[in-house]
């Protein structure tokens, strides 16, 4: 199960499918993978990783970020946390 499901939107609120999205927790950074569903344009990562994440996104010269995203779960799996990053610039 992915710990993170991230949507990226531009300044007009339109979803951005071609973005670089990274998540960092406890000094470890990973690149999130975009879904094959162009209707959702969602990026997934942090598979079975609990922790508090800082997420950054960029597309061209536009960037955005969120911090303090907490992923928890039960004994077996993480609970996926969905968030949206708004790009600026």
């Amino acid at each position: 199960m992915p710990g993170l499901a991230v949507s990226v939107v531009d300044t007009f609120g339109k979803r951005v499918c071609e973005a670089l999205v990274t998540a960092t927790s406890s000094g470890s950074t990973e690149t999130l993978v975009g879904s094959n569903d162009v209707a959702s344009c969602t990026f997934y990562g942090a598979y079975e990783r609990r922790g508090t994440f800082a997420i950054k996104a960029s597309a061209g010269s536009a960037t955005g970020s969120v911090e303090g995203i907490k992923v928890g779960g039960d004994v077996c799996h993480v609970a996926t946390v969905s968030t949206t990053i708004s790009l600026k610039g």
Side-chain angles (χ1 to χ4, degrees):
M1 304 255 343
L4 298 169
V6 180
S7 298
V8 179
V9 297
D10 64 15
T11 54
F12 302 103
K14 182 180 175 190
R15 287 184 184 248
V16 177
C17 297
E18 299 293 326
L20 173 64
V21 183
T22 59
T24 302
S25 178
S26 300
S28 176
T29 300
E30 72 174 270
T31 300
L32 278 60
V33 177
S35 69
N36 292 328
D37 179 8
V38 290
S40 74
C41 298
T42 302
F43 297 84
Y44 296 97
Y47 283 83
E48 298 302 344
R49 278 183 63 199
R50 290 168 174 77
T52 302
F53 291 85
I55 307 167
K56 296 180 182 180
S58 63
S61 62
T63 61
S65 63
V66 293
E67 295 185 9
I69 303 299
K70 295 182 181 183
V71 176
D74 59 22
V75 177
C76 294
H77 299 289
V78 297
T80 303
V81 175
S82 297
T83 191
T84 299
I85 296 178
S86 298
L87 298 178
K88 296 180 173 97

